[in-house]
Amino acid sequence: MSKGDALRDRTAAAIVDSAAASLAERGRIVSMNEVARAAGVSRATLYRYFPNREALLRAMATTGVEELAARVADADLQGLPVDQAIARLVRGFIAVGSKYVALSAGQASTDDHPDVDALLTEPVRDLFRRGIADGVLRPGLAPELLTELLSGLVKAALGMVADGQLGAEEAAAGVVAVFLDGARAGTRSPEPARSSRAR
Amino acid sequence: MSKGDALRDRTAAAIVDSAAASLAERGRIVSMNEVARAAGVSRATLYRYFPNREALLRAMATTGVEELAARVADADLQGLPVDQAIARLVRGFIAVGSKYVALSAGQASTDDHPDVDALLTEPVRDLFRRGIADGVLRPGLAPELLTELLSGLVKAALGMVADGQLGAEEAAAGVVAVFLDGARAGTRSPEPARSSRAR
Amino acid sequence: MSKGDALRDRTAAAIVDSAAASLAERGRIVSMNEVARAAGVSRATLYRYFPNREALLRAMATTGVEELAARVADADLQGLPVDQAIARLVRGFIAVGSKYVALSAGQASTDDHPDVDALLTEPVRDLFRRGIADGVLRPGLAPELLTELLSGLVKAALGMVADGQLGAEEAAAGVVAVFLDGARAGTRSPEPARSSRAR
Amino acid sequence: MSKGDALRDRTAAAIVDSAAASLAERGRIVSMNEVARAAGVSRATLYRYFPNREALLRAMATTGVEELAARVADADLQGLPVDQAIARLVRGFIAVGSKYVALSAGQASTDDHPDVDALLTEPVRDLFRRGIADGVLRPGLAPELLTELLSGLVKAALGMVADGQLGAEEAAAGVVAVFLDGARAGTRSPEPARSSRAR
DNA sequence: TTATAAGCGAGACGGTACGTCGAGTCTTCTT
DNA sequence: AAGAAGACTCGACGTACCGTCTCGCTTATAA
């Protein structure tokens, strides 16, 4: 039975990947028919795996979240200084972006997802809490707000990457630079030298 | 003829407003039938004004953009210090947000809009150019990147406002604080006192 | 007032004529818009004269009927032998045919038309009754049946005339020949010489 | 595959039958929605079988023609004396009439139908040619004209049958009587005794 | 090795929304 | 003050997509 399940999972994953690719490539308008065809599978099978469009989107979201969560877990955020942890996090977000961008466009509601909270939002929030407690981040901004704002920065950067206006590395660097130190000129900017090669 | 046109414009504006309200209230799924009914008009008339759904969304986008552009023009961005201009800009964005949020959710493509570029993006980019030239903003970040990142921050903040997690003022203050000075604690903390007094 | 009425009548007649022409020329599918345009009048005016499409068709029918009725009245059917009266009648029908064909195609219901009955059907039926009474027509066929059958023959002949397969004279002669004497060869062949000289 | 096709054909036939019934019962104005409902099928399915209204009408025409053609083929026209063959033909036409009447009202164009020519018009024309050659029909009337005139008679009779003014048998008898021997009183009318019971 | 179960492709079906178009009503402006 | 211009509602038409279903077929597991 484990074998059947494995096959099932692999098929589902293939469908999700293919759908993510189709959805990233073409502009948000992808019919279930096209998704099925692109995945090399019949429409009936597609519906067997995902009972409706929303479920497919949700699965894509979950996949992206899990992929991201794996990176987050690997990243040993607790073991790093907060600023470096954030940088690593952002790089991870943007690397996984190709899937994340489809969702960030509002296709999937990301509501009703315990995963996304448990796996992503919470660790990030913890990171921010730690940063504030450590005195690395300033105390005036709520962790929840910081989480959302960072997410917004990442989405914007992903949009530019998807449009080919920016490489993933530059995008990540820009996000980190702005998020940590802001756009204002000042004394504490050795980092920007690393992050300013926007075409 | 001016009268007929005026009536026409008013009707169109009423439809756009009603559609924006419907679309903000209900989650992204609003049929043309409902839009028409909510606007107190028949479906045929709706289609007389906007040949298809996309045109309606585009009109909503344009309306939002123009409203925003009016604010931007009023704001006398050139006459202010760059940081204050940015703060004013962000407050304007968030104030108009209720319309902007529907569009930012990805409903309208915002592509093929000369308006949005001419009226919004360009002034903002100019502002950033001026800031870099003045030495107020650091030179390492391209104006295009800053524009997108600021837009991302605003969208994120708008999402929180729409969810009721945050007031418009706090949201604007948070966006400005992070965008200008970043989340990192540091020597520049006296300045945020001007702009980031979240509740 | 007689002047206004005269104008009114003339306009109505012009619309009817134009509509008949449009309807004869193009195949049965003529929108009220096209009718109005062809008549050189606005759609509103068209509707002022004829409250709906059916009224227009009915007016066309009535016009044709009146034209026909005028011929019928002129033809002095009572003063002629029945067979000659029938021949004259058929020629009249076919001569007026261009209008009659549009109606015979089923556009107008011809129901609820007192005119058509009073002006056409009744005289024809009377003619048949006289023929039966005179012994010119055989008694076994009801006048109503004969009326319908003759109408059917005329419509068929009109169709061929409209298609250019037949001239009006030959068509009329054929209808009269078949209606009076049938298609069977027989002893009455000398008579057809008078009425059935098809090309 | 034969099974699927058979099912398909049966469904199509059911739709055609139902549509013919609806169209015969109600006066020419039957929406596709009603057709679908009457056929116990959804509108989408109706359109799946017949891409548009005209195709449905055409299918009804073809069905009627084929049904008629089957009768014609069964009737062994060649093996009968021409007058008896004509009588049989007319009875066949009128029997099938309920479908034929909808089409004869001008709903379907009957153009672009090779079938109708090959299956119906041609045999009838052949019959007339044989009749003329045999001396049973008189030579002065072209077969094409006779074909059309007979068709006109049949349509007229069908109209009366549909209106309930006449039974099918009487109608057929009247048509045959008039078509073969005309309405004129004369020596050769033993038949009318059989055919004159118009109400 | 065969039977049985499960997944799969194919595709019909109902439902719903979209965008188009014609019919008929009504208001407003003009002459 | 009547008629022209034209906006509006209603509803049908034809198209497309979604989600459900059944039907055979194949394949892999089980006896």
Side-chain angles (χ1 to χ4, degrees):
Chain A
M1 189 178 291
S2 71
K3 194 167 174 187
D5 280 9
L7 170 63
R8 212 185 147 72
D9 287 0
R10 212 167 38 214
T11 308
I15 291 177
V16 164
D17 282 357
S18 169
S22 297
L23 213 140
E25 170 187 358
R26 317 187 41 173
R28 89 181 68 276
I29 39 153
V30 189
S31 77
M32 293 297 268
N33 221 324
E34 290 169 305
V35 169
R37 182 169 310 276
V41 99
S42 90
R43 208 163 67 93
T45 299
L46 172 55
Y47 273 101
R48 228 167 261 125
Y49 280 87
F50 306 100
N52 52 33
R53 181 191 197 79
E54 213 261 335
L56 174 60
L57 271 316
R58 209 163 45 211
M60 287 174 51
T62 303
T63 301
V65 164
E66 283 170 357
E67 211 167 319
L68 223 43
R71 273 178 180 266
V72 169
D74 276 2
D76 183 30
L77 297 183
Q78 282 94 352
L80 283 177
V82 169
D83 53 355
Q84 292 179 34
I86 289 175
R88 190 172 289 188
L89 201 59
V90 168
R91 279 197 296 273
F93 280 171
I94 290 189
V96 183
S98 80
K99 271 155 200 160
Y100 199 53
V101 73
L103 310 173
S104 69
Q107 298 268 356
S109 56
T110 45
D111 293 343
D112 317 326
H113 278 287
D115 295 346
V116 81
D117 252 30
L119 297 178
L120 278 186
T121 310
E122 202 44 54
V124 173
R125 205 144 39 198
D126 285 347
L127 183 60
F128 290 152
R129 288 207 191 91
R130 176 159 69 93
I132 295 171
D134 289 357
V136 178
L137 301 183
R138 46 170 149 161
L141 301 168
E144 292 77 14
L145 174 60
L146 287 178
T147 305
E148 292 294 325
L149 292 183
L150 180 57
S151 168
L153 287 175
V154 167
K155 287 180 189 174
L158 276 175
M160 296 188 79
V161 171
D163 286 1
Q165 301 178 35
L166 215 58
E169 279 307 312
E170 288 103 337
V175 167
V176 171
V178 168
F179 182 72
L180 284 181
D181 297 314
R184 199 197 300 269
T187 57
R188 65 177 182 214
S189 325
E191 305 98 353
R194 187 174 72 245
S195 64
S196 70
R197 284 180 313 285
R199 173 153 51 96
Chain B
M1 191 180 289
S2 70
K3 194 166 174 187
D5 280 10
L7 170 63
R8 211 186 149 71
D9 286 0
R10 212 169 35 216
T11 309
I15 291 176
V16 164
D17 281 357
S18 170
S22 298
L23 212 142
E25 172 187 356
R26 318 188 40 175
R28 87 180 74 273
I29 39 152
V30 188
S31 80
M32 292 298 268
N33 221 326
E34 290 168 306
V35 169
R37 181 169 310 278
V41 99
S42 89
R43 205 164 67 95
T45 298
L46 172 56
Y47 274 103
R48 208 184 309 287
Y49 280 87
F50 305 100
N52 52 37
R53 183 191 197 79
E54 211 261 336
L56 174 60
L57 271 316
R58 210 163 44 208
M60 289 175 51
T62 303
T63 300
V65 163
E66 284 171 356
E67 212 166 319
L68 221 46
R71 273 178 178 268
V72 168
D74 276 1
D76 183 30
L77 297 184
Q78 281 97 354
L80 283 177
V82 167
D83 52 355
Q84 291 180 34
I86 289 175
R88 189 171 290 189
L89 199 62
V90 168
R91 279 196 296 272
F93 280 171
I94 290 188
V96 183
S98 78
K99 271 157 199 159
Y100 200 54
V101 73
L103 309 173
S104 68
Q107 298 267 357
S109 55
T110 48
D111 294 341
D112 317 324
H113 279 287
D115 294 348
V116 80
D117 252 31
L119 297 177
L120 279 185
T121 311
E122 201 46 52
V124 173
R125 203 142 40 195
D126 285 347
L127 183 62
F128 290 152
R129 286 206 193 92
R130 178 159 69 92
I132 295 173
D134 288 356
V136 176
L137 302 184
R138 46 169 148 160
L141 300 169
E144 292 78 13
L145 174 59
L146 287 178
T147 305
E148 291 295 324
L149 292 183
L150 180 57
S151 168
L153 287 174
V154 168
K155 286 181 189 174
L158 274 175
M160 295 187 79
V161 171
D163 286 1
Q165 303 178 32
L166 213 58
E169 280 306 312
E170 291 102 336
V175 166
V176 172
V178 168
F179 182 72
L180 283 181
D181 297 314
R184 200 199 301 267
T187 58
R188 284 189 310 219
S189 27
E191 293 140 1
R194 186 178 70 249
S195 58
S196 75
R197 200 46 258 125
R199 180 171 14 171
Chain C
M1 195 179 290
S2 72
K3 195 169 171 188
D5 281 9
L7 171 62
R8 214 189 145 71
D9 288 0
R10 212 167 37 212
T11 308
I15 292 176
V16 165
D17 282 357
S18 170
S22 297
L23 211 142
E25 172 187 354
R26 316 187 41 174
R28 88 179 73 271
I29 37 151
V30 190
S31 79
M32 293 296 270
N33 222 324
E34 289 168 308
V35 169
R37 181 171 309 278
V41 97
S42 88
R43 211 162 67 91
T45 302
L46 171 57
Y47 271 102
R48 195 178 312 285
Y49 280 89
F50 305 100
N52 53 34
R53 180 192 196 80
E54 213 260 336
L56 173 61
L57 271 317
R58 207 163 47 210
M60 288 176 50
T62 303
T63 300
V65 163
E66 283 170 358
E67 212 167 318
L68 220 46
R71 273 178 180 266
V72 167
D74 276 2
D76 183 29
L77 296 183
Q78 281 96 353
L80 282 177
V82 168
D83 53 355
Q84 291 179 34
I86 290 174
R88 191 170 287 189
L89 200 61
V90 168
R91 279 196 296 272
F93 280 170
I94 291 187
V96 184
S98 81
K99 273 158 198 157
Y100 200 53
V101 72
L103 310 172
S104 67
Q107 298 269 355
S109 57
T110 49
D111 294 342
D112 317 325
H113 279 287
D115 294 346
V116 81
D117 251 31
L119 297 177
L120 278 186
T121 313
E122 202 45 54
V124 173
R125 204 142 44 196
D126 285 346
L127 184 62
F128 290 152
R129 290 210 189 87
R130 177 159 70 90
I132 296 172
D134 289 355
V136 178
L137 300 183
R138 44 169 149 161
L141 300 168
E144 291 78 12
L145 174 60
L146 288 178
T147 304
E148 291 294 327
L149 293 183
L150 181 57
S151 170
L153 287 174
V154 167
K155 285 180 189 175
L158 274 175
M160 297 188 77
V161 172
D163 286 1
Q165 303 178 32
L166 214 59
E169 280 306 311
E170 290 105 334
V175 167
V176 172
V178 168
F179 182 73
L180 284 181
D181 298 313
R184 199 200 300 270
T187 57
R188 285 191 307 217
S189 26
E191 294 140 359
R194 187 176 71 247
S195 59
S196 75
R197 202 45 257 125
R199 176 170 15 168
Chain D
M1 192 179 290
S2 71
K3 193 167 176 188
D5 281 10
L7 170 62
R8 214 189 145 70
D9 287 1
R10 211 166 39 210
T11 308
I15 292 176
V16 164
D17 282 356
S18 169
S22 297
L23 213 142
E25 170 188 356
R26 319 189 39 175
R28 90 177 73 272
I29 38 153
V30 189
S31 80
M32 294 295 269
N33 221 327
E34 290 168 306
V35 169
R37 183 169 310 276
V41 101
S42 88
R43 203 163 69 94
T45 298
L46 171 55
Y47 274 103
R48 234 168 253 129
Y49 279 86
F50 305 101
N52 51 34
R53 183 190 197 81
E54 212 261 335
L56 174 60
L57 271 317
R58 210 163 44 208
M60 287 177 50
T62 303
T63 301
V65 163
E66 283 170 0
E67 209 165 322
L68 222 45
R71 272 179 180 266
V72 168
D74 276 1
D76 184 30
L77 297 184
Q78 282 97 352
L80 284 176
V82 169
D83 52 355
Q84 291 180 33
I86 289 174
R88 188 170 292 187
L89 200 60
V90 167
R91 280 195 298 272
F93 279 172
I94 291 188
V96 182
S98 80
K99 272 157 198 158
Y100 201 54
V101 74
L103 309 173
S104 69
Q107 298 267 358
S109 56
T110 46
D111 294 341
D112 318 326
H113 277 287
D115 295 347
V116 79
D117 252 31
L119 297 178
L120 279 186
T121 312
E122 201 46 52
V124 174
R125 203 140 46 193
D126 285 346
L127 183 62
F128 290 151
R129 286 207 194 93
R130 177 159 70 92
I132 295 172
D134 289 356
V136 178
L137 301 183
R138 47 168 147 159
L141 300 169
E144 290 78 13
L145 175 59
L146 288 178
T147 305
E148 291 295 325
L149 292 182
L150 181 56
S151 169
L153 288 173
V154 168
K155 286 179 189 174
L158 275 175
M160 296 187 77
V161 172
D163 285 1
Q165 302 178 31
L166 215 59
E169 280 305 312
E170 289 104 337
V175 166
V176 171
V178 169
F179 182 74
L180 284 181
D181 298 313
R184 200 198 299 271
T187 56
R188 65 175 183 214
S189 326
E191 304 98 352
R194 189 174 72 241
S195 65
S196 70
R197 284 179 313 285
R199 168 156 50 103

